[in-house]
């Protein structure tokens, strides 16, 4: 009969135990965690964790849209690096992908001008919205050479800079603009009857992509900036309502609005 430990090891595709050859890991003890024995090791702040408890805690932080991995022990405000979390939680490739995608989404929600460097996963703020070239000081210090990445495709920069359209990496393109250009149409009820409308719009205030199913009200609220606007004409709900009737279906958007957060 397959034991809980074997099932968990099979799910992760790797051993749940820390490598005994890793001199940087400080072992503490073996405890019973969710039905099976699990090793405990000491984090950089001094508090001990198991791989599963650390993974669950860090997922909790991500769900709360936290920007850092903070120790969960009372009175401890230590911040763990992503590299430390990966190592001590024994994250699987699938879990790493989840963490990195969620971290990027959380960073965008907090600051539209900040993304995680693909080299070190540190948050980096773009200097200009007109330049896709982004210099990472952390990676440059580690490697001893200038490291920069593309804001658009999130790969190491190739080609000359500054550029606002794309870098020289293959298939570097603005995925948001591609979605706006190629999304299917839905039927929106207008004064003249049902008409086709792009199923995805960029919020007129912050640029977040919002999808409409064609069912329900035309007026939508952006979950990021809370702007309320008409999905058909792209005017604010107040402006559209003040006109007594919608002015019609705006054409497909060809640019992404930039959110000037200092105005809010």
């Amino acid at each position: 009969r397959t034991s809980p430990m074997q099932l968990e090891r099979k799910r992760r595709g790797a051993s749940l135990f820390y490598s005994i050859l890793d001199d940087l890991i400080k072992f503490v003890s073996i405890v019973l965690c969710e039905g099976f024995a699990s090793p405990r090791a000491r984090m950089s702040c001094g508090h001990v964790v198991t791989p599963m408890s650390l993974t669950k805690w860090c997922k909790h932080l991500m769900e709360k849209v936290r920007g850092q991995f903070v120790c969960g022990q009372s009175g401890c405000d230590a911040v763990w690096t992503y590299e430390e979390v990966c190592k001590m939680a024994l994250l699987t490739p699938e879990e790493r992908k989840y963490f990195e995608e969620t971290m990027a989404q959380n960073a965008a929600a907090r600051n539209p001008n900040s993304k995680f460097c693909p080299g070190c996963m540190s948050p980096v703020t773009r200097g200009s919205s007109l330049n896709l070239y982004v210099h990472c000081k952390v990676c440059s210090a580690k490697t001893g050479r200038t490291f920069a990445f593309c804001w658009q495709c999130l790969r190491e920069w190739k080609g000359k800079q500054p550029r606002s359209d794309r870098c020289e990496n293959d298939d570097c393109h603005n995925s948001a603009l591609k979605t706006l250009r190629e999304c299917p149409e839905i039927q929106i009820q207008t004064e003249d009857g049902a008409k086709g409308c792009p199923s995805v719009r960029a919020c007129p205030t912050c640029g977040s992509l919002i999808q409409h199913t064609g069912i329900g009200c035309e007026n939508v609220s952006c979950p990021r900036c809370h702007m309320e606007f008409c999905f058909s004409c792209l005017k604010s709900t107040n402006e559209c309502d003040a006109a007594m009737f919608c002015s019609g279906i705006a054409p497909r958007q060809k640019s992404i609005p930039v959110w000037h957060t200092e105005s809010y």
Side-chain angles (χ1 to χ4, degrees), residues 24-230:
L24 298 179
I25 296 179
K26 298 180 180 179
F27 299 99
V28 179
S29 61
I30 301 292
V31 298
L32 192 66
C33 181
E34 298 194 4
F36 55 87
S38 181
R40 293 201 309 168
R42 197 178 304 279
M43 299 292 287
S44 56
C45 62
H47 291 111
V48 297
V49 298
T50 67
M52 289 186 65
S53 67
L54 178 58
T55 300
K56 291 177 67 174
W57 171 248
C58 290
K59 282 185 176 180
H60 170 74
L61 293 176
M62 291 296 95
E63 291 168 358
K64 295 295 183 181
V65 198
R66 299 294 176 84
Q68 297 176 313
F69 297 105
V70 182
C71 178
Q73 294 294 325
S74 178
C76 182
D77 57 357
V79 177
W80 304 318
T81 65
Y82 177 63
E83 289 79 5
E84 182 179 12
V85 169
C86 288
K87 184 174 186 176
M88 302 300 281
L90 300 177
L91 296 182
T92 65
E94 293 77 13
E95 287 169 335
R96 284 184 179 232
K97 181 180 179 182
Y98 164 79
F99 271 89
E100 290 169 9
E101 289 179 350
T102 306
M103 288 162 63
Q105 293 168 4
N106 290 350
R110 293 190 309 275
N111 183 353
N113 289 318
S114 178
K115 289 187 178 181
F116 282 93
C117 169
C120 63
M121 294 307 295
S122 298
V124 180
T125 300
R126 180 162 64 157
S128 171
S129 60
L130 300 178
N131 190 5
L132 295 173
Y133 176 94
V134 185
H135 173 230
C136 177
K137 295 180 180 179
V138 175
C139 283
S140 297
K142 285 183 177 179
T143 61
R145 65 179 182 86
T146 299
F147 180 86
F149 65 93
C150 176
W151 184 264
Q152 187 161 265
C153 69
L154 294 179
R155 287 176 284 180
E156 185 170 1
W157 183 268
K158 286 186 179 180
K160 298 181 179 180
Q161 63 91 18
R163 287 191 65 170
S164 60
D165 56 343
R166 55 165 295 169
C167 70
E168 294 302 323
N169 278 301
D170 293 338
D171 198 33
C172 177
H173 63 271
N174 190 315
S175 59
L177 283 178
K178 183 178 180 181
T179 297
L180 293 176
R181 184 173 62 249
E182 299 179 358
C183 69
E185 289 190 346
I186 55 174
Q187 293 298 308
I188 292 287
Q189 194 67 35
T190 67
E191 292 290 322
D192 302 323
K195 290 187 176 181
C197 174
S199 58
V200 178
R201 296 290 206 180
C203 171
T205 296
C206 70
S208 294
L209 299 192
I210 300 174
Q211 186 173 18
H212 200 299
T213 62
I215 302 174
C217 183
E218 293 179 359
N219 292 318
V220 298
S221 177
C222 176
R224 182 181 178 193
C225 69
H226 308 297
M227 165 73 171
E228 294 185 357
F229 67 96
C230 174

